[in-house]
Amino acid sequence: MEVNISKFNIDAPRWDQSTFVGRLKHFFNITDPRTAIVSEQELDRAKMLVEACRAGSAPPGTSIEQLHYAKKLYDSAFHPDTGDKMNLIGRMSFQVPGGMAITGCMLQFYRTVPAVVFWQWVNQSFNALVNYTNRNAASPITPSQIGVAYVTATSTALATAVGLNLYTKKAPPLIARWVPFVAVAAANCVNIPMMRQQEILNGIAVTDENENKLGNSKKAAAKGISQVVISRIAMAAPGMILLPILMERLESYPFMKKIRFLHAPLQVILAGGFLLFMVPVACSLFPQRCSMAVNSLEPELRDSIVNKYGDKVRYVYFNKGL
């Protein structure tokens, strides 16, 4: 059906972002791994159509379905703050294909220290790129800060994984299988705050409900980053906790002992099944456009807003990142 462009707001959410179910539908849409294989040319055409619709000059005959699909591609590949195309590996739509391979290998190759070191390094390199890509772009980070964040997070993951790997040598096999998850969770608590340290040090840009900038808030940054850390750990938890239990059971069967060479591919596929659902679920735990009561801000910023707007502005809003 043709669209009355003058009445169509392409940036209006298709689903209510104030509810978990609404956010879940949204993130199932934009984290669709199929969008990761869309050509660069098609992504550029989608961006042009979205921008044309915003300007009220979409081509005649454009349908609602075409606009929704263009917005889906746009949201999956372009940064919400800058509008710049994100690198493929850092996109949330690449979390399933990229994450399933790394998670499956971390869970399979956990017995020896060299294997643990290698796969934790690969995982933290992947996470660092994802965290940098999905940061709040209003707070730039220098190459040296990126390097420090990467080294710190990787060292944390390696120290946790290797230390627990050695500590659990005499523990039940299942305990050793859970070591990769503990290392991933610990590293997320370091990697994300370090990669977004500028927001913690200088504050994150906060606006009113009409996108008018009101100032920068360190408390808002802390809230947003903590929610991202929780989401990332939740994203990994089901697969990295339940898959070891499943594999421990399966590997006790005689037929599984005959096909050991298929254990790694099997774990990769199963990890993909978990991530296919957990990526959108984890991204949906908190609104991407986060809010915070003015009364909860730093005294200086709170007083500045109150003096200028009185009680007209009760909440501030900011992009927490993913």
Side-chain angles (χ1 to χ4, degrees):
M1 126 179 116
E2 291 192 6
V3 180
N4 184 341
I5 298 299
S6 63
K7 295 183 179 180
F8 188 80
N9 180 4
I10 198 167
D11 291 311
R14 291 179 64 184
W15 300 281
D16 184 2
Q17 296 300 289
S18 67
T19 68
F20 173 76
V21 173
R23 294 193 296 271
L24 184 61
K25 291 178 180 179
H26 171 71
F27 281 110
F28 260 118
N29 191 44
I30 69 170
T31 63
D32 183 348
R34 293 174 298 179
T35 63
I37 59 174
V38 171
S39 69
E40 296 294 301
Q41 294 80 4
E42 188 170 356
L43 292 176
D44 291 335
R45 286 195 295 270
K47 182 180 182 181
M48 290 174 61
L49 181 54
V50 168
E51 291 177 343
C53 184
R54 286 171 174 166
S57 57
T62 303
S63 68
I64 289 180
E65 290 74 19
Q66 288 173 318
L67 287 175
H68 281 323
Y69 183 65
K71 190 61 163 60
K72 171 180 179 173
L73 294 183
Y74 180 86
D75 288 342
S76 73
F78 295 90
H79 198 282
D81 289 337
T82 65
D84 295 335
K85 188 183 294 178
M86 297 183 286
N87 68 80
L88 174 62
I89 297 175
R91 298 174 196 167
M92 278 297 162
S93 57
F94 194 77
Q95 276 290 299
V96 173
M100 66 188 282
I102 296 171
T103 301
C105 289
M106 281 195 297
L107 294 176
Q108 177 64 27
F109 305 112
Y110 67 93
R111 292 180 177 87
T112 66
V113 171
V116 169
V117 169
F118 176 75
W119 286 109
Q120 286 293 334
W121 168 73
V122 171
N123 185 55
Q124 289 312 310
S125 299
F126 177 68
N127 284 345
L129 185 55
V130 172
N131 294 337
Y132 175 74
T133 302
N134 292 281
R135 72 199 184 285
N136 182 303
S139 301
I141 183 171
T142 66
S144 62
Q145 290 171 326
I146 293 173
V148 171
Y150 173 68
V151 170
T152 304
T154 303
S155 300
T156 301
L158 293 180
T160 304
V162 173
L164 289 177
N165 184 269
L166 297 174
Y167 183 75
T168 58
K169 286 292 185 184
K170 297 181 180 180
L174 183 58
I175 301 300
R177 286 178 180 269
W178 281 330
V179 167
F181 170 67
V182 178
V184 166
N188 271 325
C189 293
V190 175
N191 196 334
I192 296 170
M194 287 294 292
M195 192 62 72
R196 298 176 60 177
Q197 58 188 282
Q198 283 295 95
E199 298 170 41
I200 297 173
L201 295 173
N202 301 320
I204 193 173
V206 296
T207 68
D208 62 17
E209 60 182 355
N210 297 315
E211 302 292 341
N212 299 309
K213 185 176 178 180
L214 301 173
N216 291 339
S217 170
K218 297 178 183 178
K219 287 189 174 182
K223 178 179 179 179
I225 291 171
S226 64
Q227 290 182 351
V228 172
V229 171
I230 293 170
S231 295
R232 291 295 183 79
I233 294 174
M235 190 182 295
M240 299 191 79
I241 292 174
L242 298 178
L243 262 183
I245 299 174
L246 176 61
M247 290 303 296
E248 188 75 11
R249 291 286 186 87
L250 288 177
E251 289 178 8
S252 65
Y253 292 107
F255 80 93
M256 285 292 288
K257 295 177 181 178
K258 296 178 182 178
I259 55 169
R260 292 185 184 278
F261 64 96
L262 291 178
H263 288 191
L266 176 61
Q267 294 219 64
V268 168
I269 293 171
L270 292 174
F274 277 102
L275 287 173
L276 190 62
F277 291 95
M278 286 311 301
V279 170
V281 168
C283 289
S284 305
L285 292 178
F286 307 101
Q288 184 170 1
R289 191 189 186 213
C290 199
S291 63
M292 193 171 190
V294 170
N295 290 338
S296 300
L297 297 172
E298 297 89 332
E300 303 82 12
L301 179 58
R302 180 189 63 215
D303 293 343
S304 171
I305 294 173
V306 171
N307 290 337
K308 189 172 183 179
Y309 298 98
D311 61 356
K312 293 180 180 179
V313 176
R314 297 179 181 273
Y315 290 90
V316 297
Y317 301 87
F318 53 95
N319 173 25
K320 71 172 178 60
L322 290 174

